[in-house]
């Protein structure tokens, strides 16, 4: 299914991530910035003045972030092209609803992917209903968006995404056993602490790595086919040669935070980060 509307188009956005969101001086950001305060690098055309040298200037966090297209949706549709400079009385409201729109678009990303997975065919009707409902929320007026109970909606969608994960991973395990015979391997559960783990060439097919801490882990040459990666922390994870082709619920932001190269195998809907080695 087409996910073009869920990809960030900075040229159609009012620089919302550069204004609405806060950040603190750290390894990811060179300075502190409060929510609602424009970044000093934001230009009058709402584009970043140092976009091509963000990492060198200490703004690695900016190169990792992805809004799933929420920025342009809010800018061009919700506010019909009226930016926070033109209509300053709407600025705070715009900044407040931006994270809500971001969450809705994130859920649309997962639901759209779920509907492409044949293993989850039995619940496609429920997934489609959830997708239409979520899409409908993105078309609400700002006042209604601000009142949306996002925790409750996320919880309802998450129940479906968990079912998708179980169906996909169960199929992966059955196929793996039928082709290679029964075998035991170490298994990792949801939210596993794998910081700095040595998992080079590990067989992680069909693993539940939801919310796993994979910071600086060595996953070179590992097989993550059909692994559930929703919310997994890939900061500085070494993915050179890793097979992510059929992994599920992987996002661009996760890949942007990791290390990889031309040998990393990616799903067709993910773009190879420009800062990765050749």
């Amino acid at each position: 299914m087409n996910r073009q509307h869920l990809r960030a188009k900075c040229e159609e956005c009012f620089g919302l991530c550069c204004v609405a969101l806060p950040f603190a001086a750290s390894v990811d950001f060179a300075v502190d910035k409060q929510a609602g305060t424009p970044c000093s690098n934001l230009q009058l055309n709402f584009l970043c003045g140092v976009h091509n040298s963000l990492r060198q200037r200490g703004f690695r966090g900016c190169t990792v972030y992805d809004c799933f297209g929420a920025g342009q949706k809010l800018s061009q549709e919700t506010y019909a092209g009226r930016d926070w400079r033109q209509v300053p009385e709407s600025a705070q409201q715009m900044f407040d609803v931006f994270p809500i729109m971001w969450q809705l678009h994130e859920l649309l990303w997962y639901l759209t992917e779920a509907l492409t997975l044949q293993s989850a065919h039995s619940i496609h009707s429920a997934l489609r209903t959830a997708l239409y409902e979520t899409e409908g929320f993105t078309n609400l007026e700002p006042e209604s968006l601000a009142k949306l109970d996002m925790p409750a909606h996320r919880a309802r969608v998450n129940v479906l995404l968990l079912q998708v994960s179980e169906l996909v991973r169960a199929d992966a395990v059955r196929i793996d056993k039928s082709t290679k015979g029964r075998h035991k391997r170490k298994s990792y559960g949801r939210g596993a602490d794998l910081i700095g783990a040595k998992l080079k060439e590990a067989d992680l097919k069909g693993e539940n790595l939801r919310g796993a801490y994979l910071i600086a882990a060595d996953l070179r040459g590992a097989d993550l086919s059909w692994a559930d990666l929703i919310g997994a922390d890939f900061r500085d994870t070494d993915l050179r040669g890793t097979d992510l082709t059929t992994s599920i619920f992987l996002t661009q932001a996760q890949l942007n935070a990791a290390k990889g190269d031309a040998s990393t195998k990616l799903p067709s809907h993910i773009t190879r980060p420009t800062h990765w080695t050749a």
Side-chain angles (χ1 to χ4, degrees):
M1 298 177 70
N2 194 312
R3 276 185 262 193
Q4 289 303 313
H5 65 299
L6 302 178
R7 300 181 188 279
K9 295 180 181 178
C10 299
E11 67 278 6
E12 296 180 15
C13 177
F14 298 148
L16 294 178
C17 66
C18 306
V19 186
L21 306 180
F23 52 71
S26 62
V27 295
D28 291 318
F29 297 100
V31 297
D32 294 321
K33 189 189 84 65
Q34 294 183 339
T37 301
C39 174
S40 59
N41 297 315
L42 187 66
Q43 301 178 116
L44 291 177
N45 62 358
F46 300 112
L47 295 178
C48 177
V50 295
H51 179 74
N52 294 327
S53 58
L54 282 167
R55 285 184 167 256
Q56 295 88 325
R57 292 171 181 264
F59 290 91
R60 184 178 70 163
C62 297
T63 68
V64 171
Y65 181 77
D66 182 75
C67 75
F68 295 99
Q72 67 258 24
K73 174 76 175 186
L74 206 63
S75 299
Q76 302 302 325
E77 297 187 35
T78 309
Y79 286 92
R82 299 185 299 274
D83 67 69
W84 48 272
R85 288 188 179 124
Q86 291 177 314
V87 191
E89 61 271 22
S90 297
Q92 190 56 56
Q93 181 190 62
M94 193 180 299
F95 302 154
D96 289 343
V97 298
F98 174 60
I100 297 172
M101 185 67 81
W102 179 88
Q103 291 183 71
L104 290 170
H105 273 233
E106 180 190 28
L107 293 179
L108 286 175
W109 178 271
Y110 295 139
L111 288 166
T112 301
E113 178 174 347
L115 283 164
T116 69
L117 301 171
Q118 186 59 34
S119 296
H121 184 267
S122 61
I123 61 169
H124 274 191
S125 178
L127 288 166
R128 198 170 290 110
T129 298
L131 185 143
Y132 293 154
E133 181 184 29
T134 305
E135 187 73 53
F137 288 151
T138 70
N139 295 319
L140 291 173
E141 294 298 317
E143 295 77 13
S144 298
L145 261 178
K147 296 175 183 177
L148 191 61
D149 189 346
M150 274 308 301
H153 182 59
R154 287 190 73 97
R156 291 193 297 271
V157 172
N158 190 51
V159 170
L160 290 172
L161 297 180
L162 283 169
Q163 292 178 37
V164 171
S165 176
E166 290 168 0
L167 290 167
V168 170
R169 291 184 295 104
D171 267 2
V173 170
R174 278 195 293 271
I175 294 171
D176 192 42
K177 286 183 177 179
S178 66
T179 56
K180 294 187 177 181
R182 302 185 67 86
H183 65 285
K184 290 185 178 180
R185 67 181 185 192
K186 187 172 182 178
S187 185
Y188 304 95
R190 184 175 180 178
D193 183 353
L194 296 170
I195 297 175
K198 306 300 181 184
L199 296 169
K200 183 179 179 182
E201 299 180 355
D203 181 0
L204 300 171
K205 288 191 292 294
E207 283 290 337
N208 181 5
L209 293 173
R210 281 181 154 240
Y213 296 95
L214 290 158
I215 303 168
D218 183 359
L219 285 171
R220 287 176 295 167
D223 188 347
L224 284 141
S225 302
W226 308 114
D228 184 349
L229 302 178
I230 198 167
D233 193 334
F234 278 109
R235 282 177 292 171
D236 292 324
T237 307
D238 195 338
L239 298 176
R240 288 174 292 173
T242 306
D243 188 354
L244 295 156
T245 311
T246 56
S247 59
I248 60 173
F249 303 138
L250 182 67
T251 68
Q252 190 65 52
Q254 287 172 298
L255 265 293
N256 291 346
K259 298 176 180 178
D261 61 13
S263 67
T264 307
K265 300 175 183 177
L266 301 178
S268 59
H269 57 271
I270 296 289
T271 301
R272 194 174 304 276
T274 56
H275 62 270
W276 279 10
T277 57

